[in-house]
């Protein structure tokens, strides 16, 4: 069992941000410390919405207490998701450095939750720049969606090959492009770029009203990595897990995380096959 600090949004109803990642990682056998950057009644898109960002000073006080209690050295993984202001990004960088000083082996996964298609950015440009300039350089792994990848890398993404080139431009040890181009209109690819290796899984494109698939996928990837899976196996297991969730979520306003947990939290996980994308070669690894 690993301990994970998850810094993201939190809703009292629904499955986005920490309200998705904490459950996924706990169900995958990890002890999660969920720290909310913003507390909301629900995700945007419902008739009513209430809540506000959590002041950085309050978040800092919470982690200082954890530090004084000797808990930082116990943290094996850090996940950051929705960051509402540049100050929150600086807060995260400060504590990531402290955690790594206490435990140099701690893994940091940055899920750059800054926007999506077709809307574009849904944080301020200053906040998106802080995620790019403050948090990305610290990350061991980054999980941008297609829009986020293009924005962070400052280039258009039109093909699997251009997605790989953009991922390499981020200059991080591991990049997983979620909902990326698969080379055909009815499919999406999750593309993992690690050094000179590229792996991909392909799923059917679906119409989905529920949000939070990116949050859940990041949590699956970090969970499988902390459970000892190599990169390609973590990608395959995470893709199979999110596909099981999405299959049951069609026609719903929230992800079916609860109903599908017996499938994605199984001791012997499902593994999606690796796929060959146009212009790319696929390889395989084992757990």
């Amino acid at each position: 069992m690993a301990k994970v600090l998850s810094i993201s949004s939190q809703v009292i109803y629904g499955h986005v941000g920490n309200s998705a990642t904490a459950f996924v990682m706990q169900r995958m056998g990890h002890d999660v410390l969920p720290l909310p950057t913003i507390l909301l009644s629900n995700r945007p898109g419902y008739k009513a919405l209430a809540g506000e960002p959590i002041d950085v000073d309050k978040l800092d006080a919470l982690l200082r207490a954890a530090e004084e209690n000797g808990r930082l050295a116990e943290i094996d993984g850090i996940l950051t998701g929705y960051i509402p202001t540049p100050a929150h990004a600086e807060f995260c960088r400060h504590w990531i450095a402290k955690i790594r000083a206490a435990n140099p082996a701690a893994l940091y996964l940055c899920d750059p939750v800054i926007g999506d298609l077709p809307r574009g950015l849904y944080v301020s440009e200053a906040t998106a720049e802080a995620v790019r300039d403050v948090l990305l350089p610290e990350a061991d792994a980054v999980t941008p969606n297609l829009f986020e990848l293009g924005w962070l890398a400052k280039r258009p993404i039109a093909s699997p090959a251009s997605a790989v080139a953009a991922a390499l431009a981020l200059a991080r040890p591991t990049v997983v492009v979620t909902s990326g181009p698969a080379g055909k209109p009815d499919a999406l690819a999750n593309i993992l770029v690690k050094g000179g290796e590229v792996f991909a899984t392909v799923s059917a494109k679906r119409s989905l009203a529920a949000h939070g698939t990116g949050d859940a996928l990041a949590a699956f990837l970090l969970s499988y990595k902390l459970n000892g899976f190599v990169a390609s196996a973590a990608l395959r297991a995470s893709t199979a897990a999110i596909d099981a969730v999405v299959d049951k979520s069609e026609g719903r306003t929230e992800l079916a995380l609860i109903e599908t947990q017996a499938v994605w939290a199984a001791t012997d996980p499902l593994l999606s096959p690796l796929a060959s994308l146009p212009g790319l070669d696929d390889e395989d690894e084992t757990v």
Side-chain angles (χ1 to χ4, degrees):
M1 178 183 73
K3 281 187 169 62
V4 181
L5 174 64
S6 183
I7 307 175
S8 189
S9 61
Q10 189 160 338
V11 295
I12 64 170
Y13 173 78
H15 301 298
V16 298
N18 274 344
S19 300
T21 60
F23 175 67
V24 165
M25 291 188 288
Q26 286 168 338
R27 194 66 179 80
M28 296 288 291
H30 303 303
D31 189 7
V32 182
L33 292 69
L35 192 70
T37 56
I38 185 171
L39 183 60
L40 297 172
S41 56
N42 44 264
R43 64 170 174 80
Y46 285 94
K47 180 180 179 181
L49 177 66
E52 60 186 4
I54 307 298
D55 188 83
V56 168
D57 289 340
K58 293 180 179 178
L59 297 177
D60 192 67
L62 293 173
L63 288 189
R64 275 190 282 109
E67 181 182 31
E68 291 171 11
N69 289 329
R71 298 304 181 195
L72 292 190
E74 299 176 355
I75 294 176
D76 305 291
I78 308 155
L79 189 156
T80 62
Y82 181 80
I83 304 298
T85 72
H88 285 81
E90 291 289 354
F91 158 82
C92 290
R93 177 166 65 175
H94 172 77
W95 283 100
I96 290 165
K98 277 186 164 286
I99 290 165
R100 282 177 163 163
N103 178 13
L107 295 173
Y108 169 40
L109 187 153
C110 175
D111 184 17
V113 184
I114 59 173
D116 205 348
L117 295 171
R119 179 178 173 182
L121 285 178
Y122 45 62
V123 298
S124 71
E125 188 162 344
T127 298
E129 289 172 350
V131 171
R132 181 192 65 206
D133 300 336
V134 174
L135 294 182
L136 241 63
E138 305 297 326
D140 297 301
V142 188
T143 56
N145 63 33
L146 185 61
F147 168 80
E148 291 161 345
L149 177 65
W151 195 93
L152 294 169
K154 300 180 181 179
R155 60 178 71 191
I157 312 297
S159 66
S162 61
V164 171
L168 288 169
L170 297 185
R172 301 319 309 143
T174 300
V175 177
V176 179
V177 183
T178 66
S179 301
K184 46 187 178 181
D186 59 345
L188 296 171
N190 292 325
I191 306 170
L192 187 152
V193 181
K194 182 180 181 183
E197 297 181 301
V198 178
F199 306 97
T201 55
V202 171
S203 302
K205 186 180 291 186
R206 304 172 178 89
S207 177
L208 193 66
H211 293 228
T213 53
D215 300 311
L217 184 60
F220 283 126
L221 286 164
L222 183 55
S223 293
Y224 281 117
K225 181 61 178 175
L226 291 170
N227 283 341
F229 281 49
V230 296
S232 63
L235 175 69
R236 296 170 66 195
S238 297
T239 298
I242 205 69
D243 280 350
V245 174
V246 169
D247 282 344
K248 289 290 186 181
S249 302
E250 292 188 81
R252 303 188 183 195
T253 57
E254 296 292 339
L255 291 178
L257 283 176
I258 308 299
E259 299 92 321
T260 55
Q261 62 183 295
V263 176
W264 53 257
T267 304
D268 186 15
L270 298 173
L271 295 176
S272 291
L274 292 178
S276 179
L277 299 180
L280 302 178
D281 294 323
D282 63 291
E283 298 180 30
D284 202 355
E285 294 182 77
T286 55
V287 179

